Amino acid sequence: DDEQLPVPRHKLHNWPHFFGLYGAEHVAATEFVFGATFVALGAGLWDVLIGLIIGNTLATLSFTLLTAPIAVDTRLSLYTYLDRIAGGLTSRLYNGANILVFAVISAAMITVSATAFTALAELPAQVQPYPTSIWFVVTVVAVAVVVVFVAAFGFNAVAEFASICAPWLMVMFTTGGMVLVPALTEAVTGYTSLGLSDFLQLAGATVWTGTNAEGEPGIGMLEVIGFAWAANTFAHFGLIDMALLRYAKKKIYGLNSAAGMMFGHYVAWISAGFMGAAVAELTKTSIVLLDPGKVAWYALAWSGFVVVVVAGWTTANSNLYRAGLAAQAVFPNQNRTKVTLLVGTGVVFA
């Protein structure tokens, strides 16, 4: 199969493909969850602002200096490369684990996307490890079908879908936090306008307070740096993104991962944390009881609904594409589209 051969020159892509791909994949619906996590764990304001810059810079350098050079030199996915180096049994065990990991990640992304419908259809918030509404299950299945078919069409479909969505997702995540500033300011101070110093004081007092939900000192800057760097360890140090970067014309295109790290894992995490804390304050609800759909709907209404759905799609697409490649490495005689559809069926069920 073509997927198991080195990528030929005529199939290589320029940097905009990878900028869009990383931007859309890492500006995901789960950023609402991560943003709220820093608030719930009690990170301080400067721990978040500075720690995330350092951690995400390290992640971008990991993609650029490690994953991209190996991918461009070999033009192979890790799954095929490992088979050539370590042999059949080792490769199949490793790739079998990858199928499970990326199928679960895809399922999680799809589930978060479906929370957008909880606000629209006035379903109960889904904050348990299991669904509490049969209509939510139906919604998840409908969203999952779209993701499975996009991933089954291969790299070009994934990249084009992501490139179209990425710029809009970046804008909406950024403005989502901004539009709630006046409302939160009025709830806390009684005024709707404030300067930069006032904003930093407000954020430090109501969002990233340095104390967790139990009132104890929260995580510090080292934990924030480690979290940001490690969030995509599987992709850079684990070389999984060889599957994407093997299509890059130049090794330096690994820097395009900054579109995801700096927008998705910096701007979006900060904005999502602010949105979550603001909605919790304005609705007098604990932040741990708010699902992403409720937060996005309160902040951005219909735009928020679309943000959560599309952001989950774009991330799930890439991970399901990876799962399909891993499945093909386990069953090399099968077509990638076929095995991706089979894995996708498992993802829908999960």
Side-chain angles (χ1 to χ4, degrees):
D1 191 276
D2 287 347
E3 293 282 2
Q4 295 166 296
L5 299 173
V7 176
R9 182 175 296 274
H10 70 275
K11 289 188 176 181
L12 301 182
H13 293 277
N14 286 313
W15 69 267
H17 270 276
F18 301 95
F19 189 88
L21 190 64
Y22 276 102
E25 179 183 355
H26 296 285
V27 181
T30 45
E31 312 320 345
F32 285 101
V33 179
F34 287 122
T37 297
F38 288 118
V39 177
L41 292 178
L45 174 62
W46 295 108
D47 295 331
V48 170
L49 295 181
I50 297 175
L52 287 182
I53 286 182
I54 297 173
N56 287 310
T57 298
L58 292 172
T60 300
L61 291 175
S62 299
F63 278 112
T64 306
L65 301 178
L66 180 66
T67 316
I70 299 174
V72 171
D73 285 341
T74 64
R75 297 295 181 194
L76 297 170
S77 69
L78 175 64
Y79 315 110
T80 304
Y81 192 43
L82 182 63
D83 186 59
R84 295 188 179 189
I85 295 172
L89 180 59
T90 300
S91 174
R92 292 192 177 198
L93 288 173
Y94 178 82
N95 291 324
N98 271 278
I99 296 171
L100 179 62
V101 169
F102 291 119
V104 169
I105 292 175
S106 297
M109 299 297 173
I110 292 167
T111 305
V112 172
S113 278
T115 65
F117 293 88
T118 62
L120 188 65
E122 298 185 354
L123 299 175
Q126 302 296 301
V127 296
Q128 299 298 327
Y130 49 85
T132 57
S133 168
I134 186 62
W135 290 110
F136 183 74
V137 175
V138 172
T139 302
V140 169
V141 172
V143 173
V145 168
V146 176
V147 172
V148 171
F149 278 109
V150 172
F153 279 105
F155 180 83
N156 286 334
V158 173
E160 292 300 329
F161 187 81
S163 296
I164 293 169
C165 299
W168 181 77
L169 287 173
M170 293 176 184
V171 170
M172 296 311 297
F173 261 99
T174 303
T175 57
M178 295 169 62
V179 298
L180 286 178
V181 171
L184 181 60
T185 304
E186 184 179 30
V188 175
T189 67
Y191 300 96
T192 57
S193 61
L194 73 169
L196 178 59
S197 60
D198 299 322
F199 171 76
L200 293 175
Q201 184 176 0
L202 176 71
T206 62
V207 185
W208 300 285
T209 61
T211 57
N212 60 25
E214 286 74 36
E216 300 175 354
I219 61 174
M221 187 176 297
L222 285 179
E223 288 91 340
V224 174
I225 292 171
F227 192 101
W229 192 10
N232 286 100
T233 305
F234 69 91
H236 47 73
F237 275 106
L239 300 179
I240 293 300
D241 270 12
M242 284 176 63
L244 307 182
L245 291 169
R246 61 183 171 146
Y247 288 93
K249 286 186 175 180
K250 299 178 182 179
K251 299 175 184 178
I252 198 66
Y253 289 175
L255 285 175
N256 287 288
S257 60
M261 300 304 103
M262 293 306 176
F263 282 100
H265 293 182
Y266 186 74
V267 174
W269 280 359
I270 290 174
S271 183
F274 194 94
M275 278 190 275
V279 173
E281 173 68 26
L282 295 171
T283 61
K284 304 304 179 183
T285 304
S286 171
I287 194 169
V288 299
L289 297 178
L290 292 171
D291 64 29
K294 299 287 187 183
V295 173
W297 178 262
Y298 193 95
L300 296 167
W302 281 100
S303 294
F305 166 78
V306 180
V307 164
V308 174
V309 174
V310 173
W313 276 353
T314 54
T315 306
N317 284 337
S318 296
N319 284 293
L320 188 52
Y321 174 70
R322 294 182 179 109
L325 289 176
Q328 188 188 37
V330 175
F331 305 104
N333 294 326
Q334 300 297 321
N335 179 272
R336 188 200 60 80
T337 301
K338 179 180 178 180
V339 295
T340 301
L341 289 172
L342 290 174
V343 172
T345 302
V347 167
V348 174
F349 178 79

